[in-house]
Coordinates of all heavy atoms in Angstrom, one line a residue:
V1 N 89.5 109.5 94.8 CA 89.9 109.6 96.3 C 88.7 110.1 97.1 O 88.2 111.2 97.0 CB 91.1 110.4 96.6 CG1 91.5 110.6 97.9 CG2 92.3 110.1 95.6
P2 N 88.3 109.2 98.2 CA 87.1 109.6 98.9 C 87.4 111.0 99.7 O 88.5 111.3 100.1 CB 86.8 108.6 99.9 CG 87.5 107.3 99.2 CD 88.7 107.9 98.4
A3 N 86.5 111.8 99.9 CA 86.5 113.1 100.6 C 87.0 112.7 102.0 O 86.6 111.8 102.7 CB 85.1 113.8 100.7
G4 N 88.0 113.5 102.5 CA 88.5 113.4 103.8 C 89.7 112.4 104.0 O 90.3 112.3 105.0
T5 N 90.1 111.8 102.9 CA 91.1 110.9 102.8 C 92.5 111.7 102.9 O 92.7 112.7 102.0 CB 91.2 109.9 101.5 OG1 90.1 109.2 101.6 CG2 92.4 109.1 101.6
V6 N 93.4 111.4 103.7 CA 94.7 112.2 103.8 C 95.7 111.3 103.0 O 95.9 110.2 103.3 CB 95.2 112.4 105.2 CG1 96.5 113.1 105.3 CG2 94.1 113.0 106.1
L7 N 96.2 111.9 102.0 CA 97.2 111.3 101.1 C 98.6 111.2 101.6 O 99.0 112.3 102.3 CB 97.1 111.9 99.7 CG 95.8 111.6 99.0 CD1 95.9 112.4 97.5 CD2 95.5 110.2 98.8
A8 N 99.4 110.3 101.4 CA 100.9 110.3 101.8 C 101.5 111.3 100.9 O 101.2 111.5 99.7 CB 101.4 108.8 101.6
E9 N 102.6 111.8 101.4 CA 103.3 112.8 100.7 C 104.1 112.1 99.5 O 104.2 112.6 98.4 CB 104.4 113.5 101.5 CG 105.2 114.6 100.7 CD 106.2 115.5 101.7 OE1 105.9 115.2 103.0 OE2 107.2 116.0 101.2
K10 N 104.5 110.8 99.6 CA 105.1 110.1 98.7 C 104.1 109.1 98.0 O 103.6 108.2 98.6 CB 106.3 109.3 99.4 CG 107.3 108.6 98.4 CD 108.4 107.9 99.2 CE 109.3 107.2 98.3 NZ 110.4 106.4 99.1
Q11 N 104.0 109.4 96.8 CA 102.9 108.5 96.1 C 103.7 107.5 95.1 O 103.8 107.8 94.0 CB 102.0 109.5 95.2 CG 100.9 110.2 96.1 CD 99.9 109.4 96.8 OE1 99.3 108.5 96.2 NE2 99.7 109.6 98.1
E12 N 104.2 106.5 95.7 CA 105.0 105.4 95.0 C 104.3 104.1 95.4 O 104.0 103.8 96.6 CB 106.4 105.6 95.2 CG 107.0 106.9 94.9 CD 108.4 106.9 95.1 OE1 109.1 105.9 95.6 OE2 109.1 108.1 94.7
L13 N 104.2 103.3 94.4 CA 103.6 102.0 94.6 C 104.7 100.9 94.0 O 105.4 101.0 93.1 CB 102.4 101.9 93.6 CG 101.5 100.5 93.8 CD1 100.9 100.4 95.1 CD2 100.6 100.6 92.6
V14 N 104.7 99.8 95.0 CA 105.6 98.6 94.5 C 104.7 97.5 94.3 O 104.1 97.0 95.1 CB 106.7 98.2 95.5 CG1 107.6 97.0 95.0 CG2 107.5 99.6 95.7
R15 N 104.7 96.8 93.0 CA 103.9 95.6 92.6 C 104.8 94.6 92.2 O 105.8 94.7 91.5 CB 103.1 96.0 91.4 CG 102.1 97.2 91.6 CD 101.3 97.5 90.5 NE 100.6 96.4 89.8 CZ 99.7 96.5 88.9 NH1 99.3 97.8 88.6 NH2 99.0 95.6 88.4
N16 N 104.5 93.3 92.6 CA 105.1 92.2 92.1 C 104.3 91.9 90.7 O 103.0 92.0 90.7 CB 105.1 91.0 92.9 CG 105.6 89.8 92.2 OD1 106.7 89.8 91.3 ND2 105.4 88.5 92.6
N17 N 105.1 91.5 89.6 CA 104.4 91.1 88.3 C 104.5 89.7 88.0 O 104.1 89.2 86.9 CB 105.1 91.9 87.2 CG 104.1 92.1 86.0 OD1 103.0 92.2 86.2 ND2 104.8 92.0 84.9
G18 N 105.1 88.8 89.0 CA 105.0 87.4 88.7 C 106.2 86.8 87.9 O 106.8 85.7 88.2
S19 N 106.7 87.5 86.9 CA 107.7 87.0 86.1 C 108.3 88.3 85.2 O 107.8 89.4 85.3 CB 107.2 85.9 85.0 OG 106.8 84.7 85.6
E20 N 109.5 87.9 84.7 CA 110.0 88.9 83.9 C 109.3 89.0 82.6 O 109.1 87.9 81.9 CB 111.6 88.5 83.5 CG 112.3 89.5 82.4 CD 112.5 90.8 83.1 OE1 112.5 91.0 84.2 OE2 112.9 91.6 82.2
P21 N 108.8 90.1 82.1 CA 108.1 90.2 80.8 C 108.9 89.8 79.6 O 110.1 90.0 79.5 CB 107.6 91.6 80.7 CG 108.7 92.4 81.5 CD 109.0 91.4 82.6
A22 N 108.1 89.0 78.7 CA 108.8 88.6 77.4 C 109.3 89.8 76.6 O 110.1 89.7 75.8 CB 108.0 87.6 76.6
S23 N 108.4 90.8 76.7 CA 108.5 92.1 75.7 C 107.7 93.1 76.4 O 106.6 92.9 77.1 CB 108.2 91.8 74.3 OG 108.3 93.1 73.6
L24 N 108.0 94.3 76.1 CA 106.9 95.5 76.3 C 106.3 95.9 75.0 O 105.6 96.9 74.9 CB 107.6 96.6 77.1 CG 107.9 96.2 78.4 CD1 108.5 97.5 79.2 CD2 106.7 95.8 79.4
D25 N 106.5 95.2 73.9 CA 105.9 95.6 72.6 C 104.5 94.9 72.7 O 104.3 93.6 72.7 CB 106.7 94.9 71.5 CG 106.2 95.4 70.1 OD1 105.0 95.4 69.8 OD2 107.0 95.5 69.2
P26 N 103.4 95.6 72.6 CA 102.0 95.1 72.6 C 101.8 94.1 71.6 O 100.8 93.3 71.8 CB 101.2 96.4 72.5 CG 102.0 97.4 73.0 CD 103.3 97.2 72.6
H27 N 102.4 94.1 70.5 CA 102.2 93.2 69.5 C 102.9 91.8 69.6 O 102.9 90.9 68.8 CB 102.6 93.7 68.1 CG 101.6 94.8 67.7 ND1 101.9 95.8 66.8 CD2 100.5 95.3 68.3 CE1 100.9 96.7 66.6 NE2 100.0 96.3 67.6
K28 N 103.9 91.7 70.6 CA 104.9 90.6 70.7 C 104.6 89.7 72.0 O 105.2 88.8 72.4 CB 106.2 91.1 70.8 CG 106.7 91.9 69.6 CD 106.7 91.0 68.4 CE 107.2 91.7 67.1 NZ 108.6 92.1 67.1
V29 N 103.4 90.0 72.6 CA 103.1 89.4 74.0 C 101.7 88.8 74.0 O 100.8 89.0 73.2 CB 103.2 90.5 75.1 CG1 104.7 91.0 75.2 CG2 102.3 91.6 75.0
E30 N 101.5 88.0 75.1 CA 100.3 87.3 75.0 C 99.7 87.0 76.5 O 98.6 86.6 76.8 CB 100.3 85.9 74.4 CG 101.2 85.1 75.0 CD 101.5 83.8 74.1 OE1 100.6 83.0 74.0 OE2 102.6 83.7 73.6
S31 N 100.4 87.4 77.6 CA 99.9 87.2 79.0 C 99.9 88.3 79.8 O 100.3 89.5 79.4 CB 101.0 86.1 79.6 OG 102.1 87.0 80.1
N32 N 99.2 88.1 81.0 CA 98.9 89.2 81.8 C 100.2 89.7 82.6 O 100.2 90.9 83.0 CB 97.9 88.8 83.0 CG 98.4 87.7 83.8 OD1 99.3 86.8 83.4 ND2 97.9 87.5 85.0
V33 N 101.3 88.9 82.5 CA 102.7 89.5 82.8 C 103.0 90.6 82.1 O 103.5 91.7 82.6 CB 103.7 88.3 82.7 CG1 105.2 89.0 83.0 CG2 103.4 87.2 83.7
E34 N 102.8 90.7 80.8 CA 103.1 91.8 79.9 C 102.0 92.7 79.8 O 102.1 94.0 79.8 CB 103.6 91.4 78.6 CG 104.8 90.4 78.5 CD 104.5 89.0 78.7 OE1 103.3 88.6 78.7 OE2 105.4 88.3 79.1
L35 N 100.9 92.3 79.6 CA 99.7 93.2 79.4 C 99.3 94.0 80.5 O 98.7 95.1 80.4 CB 98.4 92.3 78.9 CG 98.6 91.4 77.6 CD1 97.4 90.6 77.3 CD2 98.9 92.3 76.5
S36 N 99.6 93.6 81.8 CA 99.4 94.5 82.9 C 100.3 95.8 82.8 O 99.8 96.8 83.0 CB 99.7 93.7 84.3 OG 98.8 92.6 84.4
L37 N 101.4 95.5 82.4 CA 102.3 96.6 82.3 C 101.9 97.5 81.2 O 101.8 98.8 81.2 CB 103.8 96.3 82.0 CG 104.7 95.8 83.2 CD1 105.7 94.8 82.9 CD2 105.2 97.1 83.7
I38 N 101.6 96.9 79.9 CA 101.1 97.6 78.9 C 99.9 98.5 79.1 O 99.8 99.6 78.7 CB 100.8 96.6 77.7 CG1 102.4 96.2 77.2 CG2 100.1 97.3 76.4 CD1 102.3 94.9 76.4
S39 N 98.9 97.9 79.8 CA 97.6 98.6 80.2 C 98.0 99.7 81.1 O 97.1 100.8 81.0 CB 96.7 97.6 80.7 OG 96.4 96.5 80.0
D40 N 98.9 99.8 81.9 CA 99.3 100.9 82.8 C 99.9 101.9 81.9 O 99.8 103.2 82.2 CB 100.2 100.5 83.7 CG 99.6 100.5 85.2 OD1 98.4 100.4 85.2 OD2 100.4 100.7 86.2
M41 N 100.5 101.7 80.7 CA 101.3 102.5 80.0 C 100.7 103.1 78.7 O 101.2 103.9 78.1 CB 102.7 102.0 79.7 CG 103.6 101.9 81.0 SD 105.3 101.5 80.6 CE 105.2 99.9 80.2

């Protein structure tokens, strides 16, 4: 966060992920639909 940036009190983000993930098991998936979620977690 750059110096002087005023942050919102509510730190919540809404993202579209393109499709329903096939799984959240890292060994059962192959696309960025699932891997984006897995990389966040």
Side-chain angles (χ1 to χ4, degrees):
V1 183
T5 300
V6 180
L7 294 176
E9 183 176 342
K10 188 178 181 180
Q11 289 294 316
E12 297 184 2
L13 181 72
V14 181
R15 303 173 52 163
N16 179 27
N17 200 38
S19 293
E20 176 68 18
S23 172
L24 290 181
D25 186 328
H27 296 165
K28 301 294 180 71
V29 299
E30 58 189 300
S31 82
N32 58 342
V33 169
E34 297 85 17
L35 297 179
S36 294
L37 278 152
I38 287 165
S39 295
D40 251 24
M41 294 189 287

